[in-house]
Coordinates of all heavy atoms in Angstrom, one line a residue:
S12 N -3.3 17.3 -20.0 CA -2.5 17.7 -18.9 C -3.4 18.4 -17.8 O -3.1 18.3 -16.6 CB -1.3 18.6 -19.3 OG -1.7 19.8 -19.8
S13 N -4.4 19.1 -18.3 CA -5.3 19.8 -17.3 C -6.1 18.7 -16.5 O -6.2 18.8 -15.3 CB -6.3 20.7 -18.0 OG -5.6 21.8 -18.6
D14 N -6.5 17.7 -17.2 CA -7.2 16.6 -16.5 C -6.3 15.9 -15.6 O -6.7 15.5 -14.5 CB -7.7 15.6 -17.6 CG -8.9 16.1 -18.4 OD1 -9.5 17.2 -18.0 OD2 -9.3 15.5 -19.4
L15 N -5.0 15.7 -16.0 CA -4.1 15.0 -15.1 C -3.7 15.8 -13.9 O -3.6 15.3 -12.8 CB -2.8 14.7 -15.9 CG -2.9 13.6 -17.0 CD1 -1.6 13.5 -17.8 CD2 -3.3 12.3 -16.3
K16 N -3.6 17.1 -14.1 CA -3.3 18.0 -13.0 C -4.5 17.9 -11.9 O -4.2 17.8 -10.7 CB -3.2 19.5 -13.4 CG -1.8 19.9 -13.7 CD -1.8 21.4 -14.2 CE -1.4 22.3 -13.2 NZ -1.2 23.7 -13.7
A17 N -5.7 17.9 -12.4 CA -6.8 17.8 -11.5 C -6.9 16.4 -10.8 O -7.2 16.4 -9.6 CB -8.1 18.0 -12.3
A18 N -6.5 15.4 -11.5 CA -6.5 14.1 -10.9 C -5.4 13.9 -9.9 O -5.7 13.4 -8.8 CB -6.3 13.0 -12.0
V19 N -4.2 14.5 -10.1 CA -3.2 14.5 -9.1 C -3.6 15.3 -7.9 O -3.4 14.9 -6.8 CB -1.8 15.0 -9.7 CG1 -0.8 15.2 -8.6 CG2 -1.3 14.0 -10.8
A20 N -4.1 16.5 -8.1 CA -4.6 17.3 -7.0 C -5.6 16.6 -6.2 O -5.6 16.6 -4.9 CB -5.1 18.6 -7.5
H21 N -6.5 15.9 -6.8 CA -7.6 15.1 -6.1 C -6.9 14.0 -5.3 O -7.3 13.8 -4.2 CB -8.6 14.6 -7.1 CG -9.7 13.8 -6.4 ND1 -10.6 14.4 -5.6 CD2 -10.0 12.5 -6.5 CE1 -11.5 13.5 -5.2 NE2 -11.1 12.3 -5.7
A22 N -6.0 13.3 -5.9 CA -5.3 12.2 -5.2 C -4.5 12.7 -4.0 O -4.5 12.1 -2.9 CB -4.4 11.5 -6.2
R23 N -3.9 13.9 -4.2 CA -3.2 14.5 -3.1 C -4.1 14.8 -1.9 O -3.8 14.5 -0.7 CB -2.5 15.8 -3.5 CG -1.2 15.6 -4.2 CD -0.6 16.9 -4.6 NE 0.8 16.8 -4.7 CZ 1.6 17.8 -5.1 NH1 1.1 18.9 -5.5 NH2 2.9 17.6 -5.2
E24 N -5.3 15.3 -2.2 CA -6.3 15.6 -1.2 C -6.7 14.4 -0.5 O -6.9 14.4 0.7 CB -7.4 16.4 -1.8 CG -7.1 17.8 -2.3 CD -8.2 18.4 -3.1 OE1 -9.3 17.8 -3.3 OE2 -8.0 19.5 -3.6
Q25 N -6.9 13.3 -1.2 CA -7.4 12.1 -0.6 C -6.3 11.5 0.3 O -6.6 11.1 1.4 CB -7.8 11.0 -1.7 CG -9.0 11.4 -2.5 CD -9.4 10.4 -3.5 OE1 -8.5 9.9 -4.3 NE2 -10.6 10.0 -3.6
V26 N -5.1 11.4 -0.2 CA -4.0 10.9 0.7 C -3.8 11.8 1.9 O -3.7 11.3 3.0 CB -2.7 10.8 -0.2 CG1 -1.5 10.4 0.8 CG2 -2.9 9.7 -1.2
A27 N -3.8 13.1 1.7 CA -3.7 14.0 2.8 C -4.7 13.8 3.9 O -4.5 13.8 5.1 CB -3.6 15.4 2.3
A28 N -6.0 13.6 3.4 CA -7.1 13.3 4.4 C -6.8 12.0 5.2 O -7.1 12.0 6.4 CB -8.4 13.3 3.6
L29 N -6.4 11.0 4.5 CA -6.1 9.8 5.2 C -5.0 9.9 6.2 O -5.0 9.3 7.3 CB -5.7 8.7 4.1 CG -6.7 8.0 3.3 CD1 -6.1 7.2 2.2 CD2 -7.6 7.2 4.2
I30 N -3.9 10.6 5.8 CA -2.7 10.7 6.7 C -2.8 11.9 7.7 O -2.1 11.9 8.6 CB -1.5 10.9 5.8 CG1 -1.3 9.6 4.9 CG2 -0.2 11.1 6.5 CD1 -0.2 9.7 3.9
N31 N -3.8 12.8 7.5 CA -3.9 14.0 8.3 C -2.7 14.9 8.0 O -1.9 15.3 8.9 CB -4.0 13.6 9.8 CG -4.5 14.8 10.6 OD1 -5.1 15.7 10.1 ND2 -4.2 14.8 11.9
A32 N -2.6 15.3 6.7 CA -1.5 16.2 6.3 C -2.0 17.2 5.3 O -3.2 17.2 4.9 CB -0.4 15.3 5.6
D33 N -1.2 18.1 5.0 CA -1.5 19.2 4.0 C -1.3 18.6 2.6 O -0.2 18.0 2.3 CB -0.5 20.3 4.2 CG -0.7 21.5 3.3 OD1 -1.3 21.4 2.2 OD2 -0.3 22.6 3.7
P34 N -2.2 18.7 1.7 CA -2.1 18.2 0.4 C -0.8 18.6 -0.4 O -0.3 17.9 -1.2 CB -3.4 18.6 -0.4 CG -4.3 18.9 0.7 CD -3.6 19.3 1.9
K35 N -0.4 19.8 0.0 CA 0.9 20.4 -0.7 C 2.1 19.6 -0.3 O 3.1 19.7 -0.9 CB 1.0 21.9 -0.4 CG 0.0 22.7 -1.0 CD 0.2 24.2 -0.7 CE -0.2 24.4 0.8 NZ -0.3 25.7 1.3
E36 N 2.0 18.8 0.8 CA 3.1 18.0 1.3 C 3.1 16.6 0.8 O 3.9 15.8 1.3 CB 3.2 18.1 2.8 CG 3.3 19.5 3.4 CD 4.6 20.1 3.1 OE1 5.6 19.5 2.6 OE2 4.7 21.4 3.3
V37 N 2.2 16.2 -0.1 CA 2.1 14.9 -0.6 C 2.7 14.8 -2.0 O 2.4 15.6 -2.9 CB 0.6 14.4 -0.7 CG1 0.5 13.0 -1.4 CG2 -0.1 14.4 0.6
F38 N 3.7 13.9 -2.2 CA 4.4 13.8 -3.4 C 4.3 12.3 -3.9 O 4.6 11.4 -3.1 CB 5.9 14.2 -3.3 CG 6.0 15.6 -2.9 CD1 6.1 16.0 -1.6 CD2 5.9 16.6 -3.9 CE1 6.1 17.3 -1.2 CE2 6.0 18.0 -3.5 CZ 6.1 18.3 -2.2
F39 N 4.0 12.1 -5.1 CA 3.8 10.7 -5.6 C 5.1 10.3 -6.3 O 5.8 11.1 -6.9 CB 2.6 10.6 -6.6 CG 1.3 10.8 -5.9 CD1 0.7 12.0 -6.0 CD2 0.8 9.9 -5.1 CE1 -0.5 12.3 -5.3 CE2 -0.4 10.1 -4.4 CZ -1.1 11.3 -4.5
T40 N 5.4 9.0 -6.3 CA 6.6 8.4 -6.9 C 6.1 7.2 -7.7 O 5.0 6.8 -7.6 CB 7.6 8.0 -5.8 OG1 7.1 6.9 -5.0 CG2 8.0 9.2 -4.9
A41 N 7.1 6.6 -8.4 CA 6.8 5.4 -9.2 C 6.6 4.1 -8.3 O 6.1 3.1 -8.8 CB 7.9 5.2 -10.2
G42 N 7.0 4.2 -7.1 CA 6.9 3.0 -6.2 C 7.3 3.3 -4.8 O 7.9 4.4 -4.5

Side-chain angles (χ1 to χ4, degrees):
S12 65
S13 295
D14 289 348
L15 290 175
K16 265 177 103 172
V19 169
H21 181 67
R23 280 180 154 172
E24 290 169 6
Q25 289 179 317
V26 169
L29 282 171
I30 297 174
N31 196 19
D33 183 336
K35 292 181 286 194
E36 300 294 347
V37 176
F38 300 91
F39 295 104
T40 65

